[in-house]
Amino acid sequence: MAAWVWAMLSAFVLLHLLQKLFNSKRKTKKRNMPPGPRGLPILGHLHLLGKSPHRALHDLARKHGPIMGMRFGFVPTVVVSSPEAAELVLRTHDVTFAGRPSQDAFHYISYGQKNLAFSPYGPYWREMRKLCTVELLSTAKINQFLPMREAEIRLLVGRLREAGERGEAVDLTTMLLSLVRDMNCLMLFGRKFGDDAGSLDDREFKEVILEASELGAQFNIADYFPCVGVFDVQGINRKMKGLAKIFDRFLEKIIDEHVQNRNRNRNKNQQQRGDDAAEDFVDTMMGILESGRATFKFDRSHVKAILLDMLIAGTDSSATVADWALAELIKHPEAMRKLQKELEAAVGMGSMVEQRHLERLEYLDQVVKETLRLHTIAPLMLPHESLEDCDLKGFHIPRKTRIMINIWAIMRDPSVWPDPESFVPERFAGGGKRMDVTGQHFELIPFGAGRRSCPGRQVGLTAVKLILSQLVHCFDWELPNGMKHADMDMAELFGIVTGRIEHLNVKPVYRLLSQ
């Protein structure tokens, strides 16, 4: 028998013994823990998750309650599935549950958890979030890149118009991903992929981003069975190490290019790119590094960790929201027409949409909110971890308990959302449904809430609204091969970002009077 098989058998025997010891200690200390389903020895409740964990956990919560106790391997876990319970975790006891569990695979692509998403809660995380919020994600910084965003969207409109004139169907899902990727890369690095000779070519870049997202969505045995984790039986850690090397090689080259440019321009009165050119994020981060303004140790690894955080988090999410929204509008022609009428009134049939128009587009806002509610792109959020013992609505939550917030279930709660499975943007029109998505209304928290909410929310929302409004205003969309709207496949593919399984293949028909 192969050596690795003996090693695995030995590890599982050890696990079984540790499980018995673990359970015996819990019996002596057991307090009022949240209710939950019966688990299996060693595995706990891992076998109940299936291919769509957010749906499986939603079904279990309907039986066991909105604060549900579970165990994944050796990791005690609480699953939260109602707005009231989420408010307790993310507002009332926000500091207590602000921790992040250590996750093996992410350790490698976060430079030892130096990024915002996975960094442990504490002074370093607070200072890094403050730095990023002020220096990189402020409204002023976002607005600096407005001309770039509008220019990239116009390039996409031009390509779609040419395809429409030829009567061709396009893979809009892929085109949206490329658009958002290019916008993010220009904002982060000052150039798109394919420009010059980069460390990654265009195809390889898309592949490594996709692989990182897919690996990150998998349940890694190493996170739940530390004794088995050293064997890396799924190969996830090994693959993440390989991706981390690719990303690091790429980021090092980008940073070196920026350092060389800064040195060449250091003694000049203005940079060669001109006074009106927006500093990209690498320029800003390297300026902080060189100035010593950071109140903590700040080196290249921190710069790379934040850049990679924003690159991976920002590439898929905005494109996926825009893809879901367009798919729902095409599937519901009456909603598409209503949005087009609003755009005609606000913008006119002789002009394209500009960012200044967005604040007047109320139905666009409703469409985006309903898309975020119905198609939660991060249905389970990133897990939290309790930093100390806590009482949660009468239940005892021990320190180091993992907290999973099922925002997919929260935003389909029938007691809050009538007919929750239907796409109805009008539910946000007036009355008590004038909710925002900033984390103040716990019935609608697509970006999370509290200290660990998504800091890039405004960047993402601005991009989605610009893309969606432009494509709806400029084009009518026809389904190919005689497909009917009712036949569109809206099945989802679970991941860190949960998108549609089927790509959106459609025929664009240009509808503006000029341009």
Side-chain angles (χ1 to χ4, degrees):
M1 189 178 291
W4 71 269
V5 176
W6 282 113
M8 285 297 300
L9 289 173
S10 301
F12 273 103
V13 169
L14 177 61
L15 280 175
H16 186 61
L17 295 174
L18 289 174
Q19 175 80 48
K20 286 189 173 183
L21 178 63
F22 176 76
N23 286 339
S24 66
K25 287 187 176 181
R26 286 187 67 196
K27 287 177 183 178
T28 63
K29 298 181 178 181
K30 191 168 183 180
R31 297 169 65 177
N32 187 29
M33 306 292 287
R38 183 180 295 275
L40 296 176
I42 301 178
L43 285 178
H45 300 97
L46 283 173
H47 66 293
L48 298 177
L49 294 175
K51 293 183 178 180
S52 298
H54 55 298
R55 293 177 180 269
L57 292 172
H58 170 59
D59 292 340
L60 289 169
R62 293 170 67 182
K63 179 179 179 181
H64 298 283
I67 301 176
M68 181 171 59
M70 305 187 79
R71 178 174 56 80
F72 299 140
F74 285 170
V75 179
T77 303
V78 170
V79 180
V80 170
S81 303
S82 74
E84 296 78 16
E87 185 170 4
L88 286 174
V89 170
L90 300 175
R91 177 180 284 169
T92 308
H93 301 287
D94 188 14
V95 175
T96 300
F97 295 110
R100 277 279 191 257
S102 177
Q103 294 180 277
D104 273 20
F106 288 114
H107 180 86
Y108 303 111
I109 61 169
S110 63
Y111 292 86
Q113 293 187 262
K114 292 179 182 178
N115 62 352
L116 280 180
F118 299 106
S119 176
Y121 182 73
Y124 167 76
W125 177 86
R126 288 193 294 269
E127 289 300 315
M128 181 60 86
R129 183 179 174 100
K130 180 180 177 182
L131 184 153
C132 290
T133 301
V134 172
E135 301 285 353
L136 302 179
L137 299 171
S138 65
T139 300
K141 191 70 176 179
I142 294 170
N143 288 338
Q144 282 184 5
F145 293 96
L146 171 60
M148 173 273 293
R149 285 194 295 270
E150 292 183 338
E152 290 301 310
I153 293 172
R154 284 174 179 264
L155 287 174
L156 174 62
V157 168
R159 290 193 289 271
L160 289 169
R161 185 176 182 179
E162 292 173 0
E165 290 171 351
R166 295 191 298 268
E168 296 175 353
V170 298
D171 181 347
L172 195 55
T173 299
T174 298
M175 296 181 83
L176 287 171
L177 184 61
S178 295
L179 169 67
V180 175
R181 179 203 66 211
D182 287 345
M183 290 166 61
N184 284 343
C185 289
L186 283 166
M187 184 169 63
L188 292 171
F189 311 126
R191 67 177 176 87
K192 295 185 283 189
F193 289 91
D195 294 353
D196 306 319
S199 302
L200 294 175
D201 64 30
D202 196 63
R203 182 177 58 83
E204 187 183 5
F205 172 75
K206 287 186 284 189
E207 289 176 352
V208 294
I209 288 287
L210 180 61
E211 186 174 0
S213 297
E214 290 177 346
L215 287 173
Q218 295 181 26
F219 275 78
N220 190 354
I221 290 177
D223 294 330
Y224 306 102
F225 303 102
C227 295
V228 176
V230 296
F231 299 107
D232 192 23
V233 293
Q234 297 161 281
I236 293 176
N237 292 354
R238 174 179 51 79
K239 292 174 183 176
M240 277 295 197
K241 286 180 184 178
L243 292 178
K245 290 179 180 178
I246 294 173
F247 283 127
D248 188 74
R249 186 172 70 248
F250 160 71
L251 291 171
E252 277 292 332
K253 180 166 185 176
I254 289 288
I255 291 173
D256 285 342
E257 290 173 354
H258 280 70
V259 169
Q260 292 170 9
N261 289 336
R262 291 175 69 85
N263 289 338
R264 281 198 300 266
N265 297 323
R266 193 177 299 278
N267 296 321
K268 296 183 180 180
N269 292 328
Q270 61 181 14
Q271 293 186 358
Q272 293 175 347
R273 288 185 298 172
D275 292 329
D276 296 331
E279 263 197 349
D280 60 51
F281 280 21
V282 177
D283 288 326
T284 303
M285 296 287 279
M286 294 308 295
I288 295 169
L289 175 60
E290 293 172 3
S291 69
R293 296 202 306 273
T295 58
F296 52 90
K297 180 183 178 182
F298 192 76
D299 56 31
R300 275 199 178 199
S301 66
H302 297 84
V303 174
K304 291 184 288 187
I306 294 300
L307 290 173
L308 193 52
D309 203 4
M310 294 186 176
L311 179 65
I312 293 177
T315 297
D316 274 353
S317 54
S318 296
T320 300
V321 174
D323 185 69
W324 275 118
L326 280 163
E328 287 289 2
L329 288 170
I330 293 169
K331 189 176 179 67
H332 298 88
E334 68 287 351
M336 174 74 81
R337 186 59 191 148
K338 186 172 181 178
L339 180 54
Q340 286 180 331
K341 285 185 176 180
E342 179 179 69
L343 287 160
E344 290 168 14
V347 181
M349 291 299 290
S351 302
M352 288 191 181
V353 181
E354 298 177 6
Q355 186 166 313
R356 61 187 175 86
H357 295 124
L358 297 183
E359 63 183 21
R360 304 201 305 268
L361 300 172
E362 293 186 7
Y363 193 63
L364 172 68
D365 186 63
Q366 295 167 26
V367 167
V368 171
K369 285 179 180 176
E370 179 68 345
T371 302
L372 291 167
R373 182 200 69 81
L374 185 60
H375 301 293
T376 316
I377 56 171
L380 294 176
M381 298 175 52
L382 292 177
H384 291 234
E385 186 176 77
S386 55
L387 300 175
E388 58 188 28
D389 288 5
C390 179
D391 182 87
L392 196 64
K393 210 170 182 178
F395 298 119
H396 175 67
I397 311 298
R399 177 178 174 271
K400 300 290 285 184
T401 297
R402 189 165 299 190
I403 311 296
M404 297 178 69
I405 302 171
N406 191 347
I407 57 176
W408 182 91
I410 289 170
M411 296 194 293
R412 293 181 181 229
D413 187 336
S415 68
V416 178
W417 307 104
D419 194 14
E421 300 293 329
S422 297
F423 179 75
V424 186
E426 290 78 7
R427 71 172 82 239
F428 291 102
K433 291 302 182 186
R434 281 197 174 275
M435 299 180 182
D436 59 39
V437 293
T438 62
Q440 300 305 308
H441 301 95
F442 287 85
E443 305 92 331
L444 188 70
I445 49 172
F447 300 100
R451 285 167 171 78
R452 306 298 307 227
S453 61
C454 175
R457 177 185 63 244
Q458 194 56 44
V459 177
L461 280 174
T462 301
V464 167
K465 288 185 176 182
L466 269 175
I467 294 167
L468 183 61
S469 59
Q470 197 75 278
L471 297 186
V472 169
H473 186 49
C474 291
F475 298 98
D476 289 317
W477 299 94
E478 297 178 354
L479 295 172
N481 305 319
M483 181 188 297
K484 299 183 183 299
H485 298 113
D487 296 333
M488 290 181 63
D489 185 354
M490 304 296 279
E492 65 186 17
L493 179 64
F494 176 77
I496 293 181
V497 173
T498 298
R500 297 171 64 248
I501 292 178
E502 295 293 333
H503 280 208
L504 187 56
N505 290 292
V506 284
K507 290 183 178 181
V509 179
Y510 194 72
R511 63 188 293 270
L512 296 190
L513 299 177
S514 59
Q515 298 291 321

